[in-house]
Amino acid sequence: MASQSLTKFYRNISDVHKLAEAHSKLNPGGLGRRSLGHITRSGVVMLCAAWEVYFEDIVTEAVRHITGALDTPSQLPPSVQKKLSSQVKADSHELKPLELAGEGWKELLLHYARKEASSINTPKSHVLELYAKHFIGTDGISSAWHVGPDRVNHIVSIRGEIAHRGRDAEYIPILDLKLYTKEIVRTAVETDNHICLHIKSATGAKSQPWRRKTVPE
């Protein structure tokens, strides 16, 4: 079985598939636009939302796996140690450092990961890479993406244009929506597999936290 986050992603992405199916039923001949741009625009918005939620979920899921396998925060990857330390120092609550005692650091790291996830508004590669580096210690995660970071950023930028311009945004052909969906699904699986191996390496575990999936073509 894949990660819980990827399983949830597939549930969310089903809404995009349903929109594509609805478009096909309303335009069975595939000729012309037939005023169906609202469907493809909605599909892009839903697609990017599923991608953003997935990435936030997989990082927090990975945090739980990593902290569950370690005994002290000094065993965390260096970039995660630095992030945890800086977050505690910057916290306005003067007693916050006391929460590091015992196994408190585990919940504290998870708390900060969730807090930072809530501030992610644009799931572009540089934002997600920094988030993953800070909280699970994997560097350059976009190197695992077959389509590359620029392609993912392009799709997310289209979502941004739709959000700001609405129906005045550039028309999205149904074939483009289907291609974007295929690319984001592949990227999510590649991310899942990459983080799976990273957790195993970061914790020194003998087994993987979940089963890696075959990357779709």
Side-chain angles (χ1 to χ4, degrees):
M1 177 178 284
S3 70
Q4 294 177 10
S5 303
L6 190 63
T7 300
K8 177 180 174 182
F9 170 78
Y10 277 122
R11 289 200 303 270
N12 289 336
I13 213 73
S14 67
D15 287 340
V16 183
H17 294 310
K18 290 176 183 177
L19 285 170
E21 290 171 4
H23 186 284
S24 297
K25 290 179 181 178
L26 292 171
N27 189 23
L31 300 176
R33 298 184 179 183
R34 298 182 63 115
S35 301
L36 298 178
H38 62 290
I39 293 180
T40 52
R41 288 194 298 271
S42 298
V44 170
V45 172
M46 294 293 291
L47 175 64
C48 290
W51 166 239
E52 181 176 341
V53 169
Y54 164 72
F55 204 94
E56 294 169 358
D57 285 348
I58 194 59
V59 168
T60 54
E61 184 174 346
V63 167
R64 290 195 295 270
H65 278 286
I66 291 172
T67 57
L70 303 180
D71 297 320
T72 69
S74 63
Q75 295 173 307
L76 290 167
S79 59
V80 183
Q81 292 185 45
K82 291 178 182 178
K83 182 64 174 180
L84 178 59
S85 177
S86 65
Q87 289 288 98
V88 170
K89 290 177 181 177
D91 202 297
S92 59
H93 197 302
E94 61 182 8
L95 298 180
K96 205 67 177 179
L98 295 180
E99 296 185 27
L100 291 169
E103 295 197 341
W105 62 273
K106 299 182 179 184
E107 284 301 318
L108 203 55
L109 181 62
L110 184 60
H111 164 74
Y112 287 133
R114 287 171 172 163
K115 183 178 179 181
E116 188 150 322
S118 66
S119 67
I120 295 177
N121 298 314
T122 305
K124 290 189 175 182
S125 61
H126 64 282
V127 175
L128 302 183
E129 284 192 339
L130 197 59
Y131 179 54
K133 180 179 180 179
H134 283 165
F135 291 101
I136 63 175
T138 182
D139 205 1
I141 197 169
S142 66
S143 63
W145 301 347
H146 175 78
V147 300
D150 290 343
R151 182 62 173 177
V152 172
N153 294 344
H154 172 68
I155 297 171
V156 174
S157 293
I158 293 173
R159 191 279 300 267
E161 183 185 5
I162 294 170
H164 288 98
R165 298 184 59 201
R167 66 178 302 158
D168 291 330
E170 184 178 350
Y171 177 75
I172 310 296
I174 186 61
L175 291 180
D176 284 0
L177 174 59
K178 289 180 178 179
L179 177 60
Y180 298 156
T181 303
K182 181 179 179 180
E183 291 173 333
I184 290 297
V185 168
R186 175 169 184 160
T187 302
V189 173
E190 290 167 340
T191 299
D192 216 66
N193 290 346
H194 177 86
I195 290 180
C196 175
L197 293 178
H198 170 72
I199 293 172
K200 185 174 183 292
S201 174
T203 61
K206 294 183 179 179
S207 59
Q208 299 174 4
W210 55 77
R211 183 178 298 176
R212 287 180 291 160
K213 287 186 66 68
T214 299
V215 178
E217 294 296 330

